[in-house]
Amino acid sequence: MFDWSGRGGAPPDVRPAVMGVVNVTPDSFSDGGRWFGADAAVAHGLALVAAGADLLDVGGESTRPGADPVDADAEADRVLPVVARLAAESGVPVSIDTAKAEVAGAAVAAGARIVNDVTAGRDPDMFGVVARAGVGFVAMHMQGVPRTMQDAPHYDDVVGEVAAFLAARVAAAVAAGVPRAAIAVDPGIGFGKTTAHNLALLARLDVLVGSLDVPVVLGTSRKRFLGEISDSPEPVARDDATLATTVWAAELGVAVVRVHDASGAARVRALLTAVREAA
Ligand code: PMM
């Protein structure tokens, strides 16, 4: 059975674990199309591990704002060869980024050890697949669906609502047979959220870390709100801003950061570890 101890559950002095992003999509917002072929995606995954990634997250359906859904067969065709090869060759646990239980099941059979679901188990078969396979699960918060989620996101209390949603999804997963130790949560930065919502969630990561009793995963990497604040219109120019959020998140106890630039996050982690050891 997968559990987060030793990775997301690692002691605070070696956090955060670095989850490297491998998008096998023609249209992801920051790197869509770059690693679209299986060979290129595998090579990219191996390079992320060489640069310091502790986990790899493979996705075949873009969730950028406005993105159209992909059917399960097309998504599986994209990701399965990449998952199988990275599971065999990378030496780190591979996560499958999917909201479809069918794709999750096939990916797990191909060697994935974690299911990262941006809908936190909306597919009624998802928890069953995860429980039967004994794999890890990341439950992420999203308001709405990618196609329309940025149209007019609204919350009365974004931190409280996201925390309550994630607590409810953890409870639902546990009730469906997923061990608590296998579950992590993610506030879903940029998923049905304005810049102000994203900043409020970052500011109060301590609420998620302190109240849910499961590891917290965070994905800020190259997202639009960072471009807005750091005046970097191009996603690849947002790695510095991403690193700033990694330092912040690490200090608030986030267990895993999901990033495109594994090397930067690993170097930040090494520095934070050295400073903590000197304290
Ligand atoms: N962001 C994206 C995709 N999957 N999964 C989790 N758990 N958290 C995230 O923040 C997240 C995710 C979108 O980013 P990408 O297009 O660069 O993969």
Side-chain angles (χ1 to χ4, degrees):
M1 186 201 93
F2 182 90
D3 77 67
W4 287 96
S5 60
R7 297 180 186 87
D13 57 345
V14 291
R15 286 183 181 180
V18 177
M19 176 185 269
V21 178
V22 182
N23 281 324
V24 200
T25 57
D27 59 345
S28 279
F29 77 96
S30 77
D31 56 0
R34 278 190 78 187
W35 323 114
F36 191 42
D39 287 342
V42 169
H44 183 56
L46 296 176
L48 288 170
V49 173
D54 306 295
L55 307 155
L56 291 174
D57 188 38
V58 178
E61 178 177 44
S62 173
T63 47
R64 76 181 153 74
D68 286 322
V70 174
D71 73 39
D73 287 343
E75 189 180 332
D77 284 349
R78 287 179 189 174
V79 293
L80 293 183
V82 178
V83 167
R85 284 175 53 193
L86 287 176
E89 294 170 34
S90 72
V92 301
V94 173
S95 150
I96 175 69
D97 186 346
T98 187
K100 299 186 186 75
E102 189 183 333
V103 175
V108 163
R113 299 190 53 209
I114 301 162
V115 176
N116 172 28
D117 181 359
V118 297
T119 70
R122 257 184 225 170
D123 183 327
D125 297 327
M126 185 60 98
F127 293 148
V129 165
V130 171
R132 278 192 298 280
V135 293
F137 187 67
V138 180
M140 197 198 80
H141 176 274
M142 164 164 53
Q143 186 178 78
V145 294
R147 185 198 273 278
T148 52
M149 66 188 177
Q150 291 307 111
D151 288 354
H154 173 80
Y155 302 83
D156 292 323
D157 163 17
V158 67
V159 176
E161 287 169 46
V162 168
F165 170 86
L166 293 174
R169 297 317 287 161
V170 171
V174 169
V178 181
R180 198 177 181 87
I183 304 171
V185 294
D186 183 329
I189 296 297
F191 284 83
K193 290 158 189 109
T194 62
T195 292
H197 296 140
N198 293 327
L199 292 173
L201 285 164
L202 282 181
R204 296 311 312 272
L205 282 168
D206 61 308
V207 172
L208 295 183
V209 170
S211 67
L212 295 176
D213 195 29
V214 294
V216 174
V217 177
L218 186 74
T220 56
S221 189
R222 299 182 180 170
K223 285 184 179 171
R224 189 190 323 209
F225 81 108
L226 295 178
E228 221 173 284
I229 292 167
S230 63
D231 194 20
S232 322
E234 287 305 313
V236 287
R238 299 173 190 160
D239 284 338
D240 296 358
T242 302
L243 289 178
T245 65
T246 297
V247 177
W248 174 263
E251 288 307 290
L252 292 187
V254 162
V256 181
V257 287
R258 181 185 179 279
V259 294
H260 301 87
D261 169 26
S263 146
R267 282 180 283 137
V268 159
R269 193 243 320 267
L271 189 86
L272 289 172
T273 303
V275 173
R276 286 178 194 131
E277 279 169 9

